[in-house]
Amino acid sequence: IMSRKITTPVNQIRLTNVAVVRLKKGGKRFEIASYPNKVNEWRQGVETDIDEVLQIDTVFLNVSKGVIAKKEDLNKAFGHSNQQKIVLEILNKGEIQVGAKERQHQMDQTFRDIATIVAEKCVNPLTQKSITPGLVERAMKEIHYSVKPGKSAKTQALQVIKLLQEKDAIPIERAQMRLKVEAPKGAGRKIRQQLEEIINTAESESYEDCYNFTFTVDPGKYRQVDEIVSK
């Protein structure tokens, strides 16, 4: 009696809990299988270990059916059949295929992440006290802010701060950095003159053993301060 068995064809691989990334090239669709939510983390630089992003280092024609792309298809579309290079191209340039439920979950999470970053970076200018993510979330809803897919939460948080200020949604400003500069006495006057235009408040200044200057400045101007002091 012949025994019965079910086999998977050699050119097919079955995967579960997959986020598919698809790239159309040379008239065909090529896909890779990644872990949910990991592709955006890779593109934002949060995740740097590709093994944590990909379920398998293989190029597919159809992930859900487990159909692997043939070497001739890769050569025709990409000009070579180097799996690692092609996988990277699809990972960086391809379109993430997600269901409506998962997409909404990602958008909601990013919305909350943006509000948290804004709250961490800002204070109420009237009281100089911190603001809560919940307050920011409500203000974002009031100005009808929509999450921009593909943009990092940090980048969007900076945009949200500007929008909340422009629309006067809530009293908000970037929390100030307190910096202290130490330099040779002879350089003190020149440094102070150059910093004068970008600092917010001067707290203390001394020319004793060396030049010491303590002040507050908007975090976005830190690079300018560094360039002036490093000259």
Side-chain angles (χ1 to χ4, degrees), residues 3 5 20-21 29 34 36 54 62 70 76 86 88-90 101 108 114 117 120 135 151 153 161 164 215 225 230:
S3 61
K5 62 180 181 179
V20 175
V21 184
R29 297 188 311 186
S34 68
L54 299 178
N62 189 307
K70 295 178 181 178
K76 184 178 179 182
I86 294 171
L88 274 175
E89 183 174 342
I90 297 171
K101 187 176 180 181
D108 291 344
I114 293 168
I117 294 170
E120 289 172 349
L135 177 64
K151 284 192 174 184
I161 293 170
L164 293 176
F215 56 92
V225 173
S230 299

Side-chain angles (χ1 to χ4, degrees), residues 149-169:
K151 284 192 174 184
S152 71
K154 184 177 179 181
T155 298
Q156 294 189 68
L158 297 175
Q159 294 172 339
V160 166
I161 293 170
K162 291 180 181 177
L163 287 171
L164 293 176
Q165 289 174 326
E166 289 172 4
K167 296 179 182 293
D168 203 21

Side-chain angles (χ1 to χ4, degrees), residues 12-166:
Q12 290 190 354
I13 297 176
R14 298 291 186 182
L15 298 166
T16 58
N17 192 29
V18 176
V20 175
V21 184
R22 179 183 297 157
L23 182 69
K24 293 180 181 178
K25 195 156 185 173
K28 283 185 176 290
R29 297 188 311 186
F30 297 93
E31 300 178 344
I32 57 174
S34 68
Y35 292 103
N37 304 321
K38 283 293 184 178
V39 177
N40 282 328
E41 289 184 10
W42 170 269
R43 291 177 177 178
Q44 293 166 12
V46 176
E47 179 60 71
T48 56
D49 185 354
I50 197 167
D51 291 332
E52 294 294 321
V53 181
L54 299 178
Q55 289 217 14
I56 186 171
D57 192 8
T58 301
V59 181
F60 293 82
L61 288 179
N62 189 307
V63 168
S64 63
K65 293 181 180 179
V67 181
I68 300 170
K70 295 178 181 178
K71 189 173 181 179
E72 50 264 38
D73 290 331
L74 299 177
N75 278 320
K76 184 178 179 182
F78 295 90
H80 61 86
S81 58
N82 186 310
Q83 288 269 347
Q84 289 184 328
K85 288 183 178 179
I86 294 171
V87 163
L88 274 175
E89 183 174 342
I90 297 171
L91 180 58
N92 292 325
K93 298 180 181 178
E95 183 180 340
I96 305 169
Q97 309 297 305
V98 293
K101 187 176 180 181
E102 185 180 350
R103 185 181 293 110
Q104 188 58 51
H105 173 74
Q106 290 177 354
M107 298 281 273
D108 291 344
Q109 183 58 54
T110 302
F111 192 89
R112 290 191 292 271
D113 290 344
I114 293 168
T116 299
I117 294 170
V118 170
E120 289 172 349
K121 290 181 176 292
C122 296
V123 294
N124 181 327
L126 304 177
T127 63
Q128 288 304 309
K129 291 183 178 180
S130 59
I131 55 179
T132 65
L135 177 64
V136 177
E137 281 190 45
R138 289 193 293 274
M140 287 168 65
K141 289 173 182 175
E142 285 176 11
I143 66 171
H144 306 293
Y145 182 78
S146 299
V147 172
K148 311 294 188 298
K151 284 192 174 184
S152 71
K154 184 177 179 181
T155 298
Q156 294 189 68
L158 297 175
Q159 294 172 339
V160 166
I161 293 170
K162 291 180 181 177
L163 287 171
L164 293 176
Q165 289 174 326
E166 289 172 4

